[in-house]
Amino acid sequence: MDKELLKKRAGEKAAEWIEDGMLVGLGTGSTVYYFIEKLIHLCKEGLNITVVSSSIRSFEQAQKGGIPTANMNTVTQIDITIDGADEIDCQKRMIKGGGGALLREKILANSSKEMVVIVDESKVVEKLGKRALPVEILPFGYSATIEKIQVLGFRGEMRTTNEGKFYITDNGNYIYDILFQELRESPEEDHDRLIHVPGVLETGFFFNLAGRVLIGESSGNLKQLDK
Ligand code: 5RP
């Protein structure tokens, strides 16, 4: 089955879990896109919710679709956040940030009663680390920050735009994509080492945050992992 259809199925199923009165966190990415489209539809039919967003992109999609939005600066707790992932293992540890929104996504997930993860089956892995690990870094002194990351034994590349300029996150920062030589035995240790480098704002490792997970399988089945 077509991957886009798998993403759409997972996104639309997650929308069924949204209830009247909820404050909903919007993740970012092509899978979340389908979730937001379904939410727009449900809101037009009378669903009464408010959303906060992890990116300008998701915010604009929701706002254009007429979903009431709230400013995250006025919020301390979100009822449910729906987000995608670049990789997820059987302990629900994830790599996120392929879409560049990792820092805001982690703030939303961490402020939510539940983070629901929606993926197609290509994202499910035995061990994390095949895909790049995005690390959001402060532009100030970025060369020194990268040097420190490299001294720790990590190698990677600055994320760039199609025009060859540094990619800038919604927070005005850069992303350094770490390319691992081997699959990760202990991603928690990797995270701990990276997060202590001054200038590193966040890594794309997400631990102990995912609740229910919806996996669109190529057989057409939608697999659900419970909280
Ligand atoms: C954005 C993310 C996305 O959730 C992740 O990249 C998955 O995206 P997609 O659903 O497009 O595959 O972390 O920062």
Side-chain angles (χ1 to χ4, degrees), residues 3-4 7 27-34 54-55 57 82-87 94-103 105 115 117-120 122-123 131 134 159 167 175 204 206:
K3 202 189 263 191
E4 285 307 303
K7 294 180 184 187
T28 297
S30 56
T31 317
V32 166
Y33 169 86
Y34 292 113
S54 60
S55 63
R57 180 174 149 194
I82 315 290
D83 206 348
D86 298 310
E87 288 186 344
M94 296 178 277
I95 286 183
K96 286 184 49 55
L102 61 145
L103 178 49
E105 287 172 339
M115 176 197 199
V117 178
I118 50 175
V119 289
D120 66 86
S122 69
K123 309 293 184 57
R131 290 177 202 237
R159 190 176 296 188
Y167 175 88
I175 289 188
F206 281 51

Side-chain angles (χ1 to χ4, degrees), residues 61-191:
Q61 187 187 352
Q63 203 187 37
K64 272 187 203 142
I67 306 181
T69 57
N71 182 330
M72 189 56 199
N73 294 339
T74 66
V75 166
T76 53
Q77 195 176 48
I78 300 165
D79 291 303
I80 189 167
T81 286
I82 315 290
D83 206 348
D86 298 310
E87 288 186 344
I88 182 163
D89 72 8
C90 64
Q91 295 177 51
K92 299 182 186 170
R93 297 181 295 189
M94 296 178 277
I95 286 183
K96 286 184 49 55
L102 61 145
L103 178 49
R104 293 190 187 194
E105 287 172 339
K106 200 175 275 189
I107 292 171
L108 259 62
N110 199 46
S111 309
S112 298
K113 290 181 197 161
E114 184 183 8
M115 176 197 199
V116 170
V117 178
I118 50 175
V119 289
D120 66 86
E121 70 179 3
S122 69
K123 309 293 184 57
V124 179
V125 297
E126 209 172 300
K127 287 182 184 169
L128 300 177
K130 189 169 179 199
R131 290 177 202 237
L133 174 75
V135 177
E136 184 153 346
I137 60 173
L138 198 71
F140 179 84
Y142 76 91
S143 299
T145 303
I146 290 169
E147 216 263 329
K148 296 290 175 298
I149 291 173
Q150 291 178 345
V151 166
L152 292 175
F154 299 106
R155 293 285 175 273
E157 55 194 24
M158 288 294 285
R159 190 176 296 188
T160 53
T161 65
N162 290 338
E163 292 77 41
K165 299 194 172 139
F166 286 159
Y167 175 88
I168 309 274
T169 69
D170 286 352
N171 313 310
N173 300 313
Y174 296 152
I175 289 188
Y176 186 68
D177 284 309
I178 291 182
L179 307 165
F180 294 116
Q181 307 302 313
E182 289 161 3
L183 298 178
R184 308 321 290 162
E185 293 302 330
S186 182
E188 290 85 356
E189 276 177 28
D190 294 331
H191 172 82

Side-chain angles (χ1 to χ4, degrees), residues 22-37:
M22 277 184 164
L23 177 60
V24 180
L26 303 179
T28 297
S30 56
T31 317
V32 166
Y33 169 86
Y34 292 113
F35 167 71
I36 300 174
E37 284 301 290

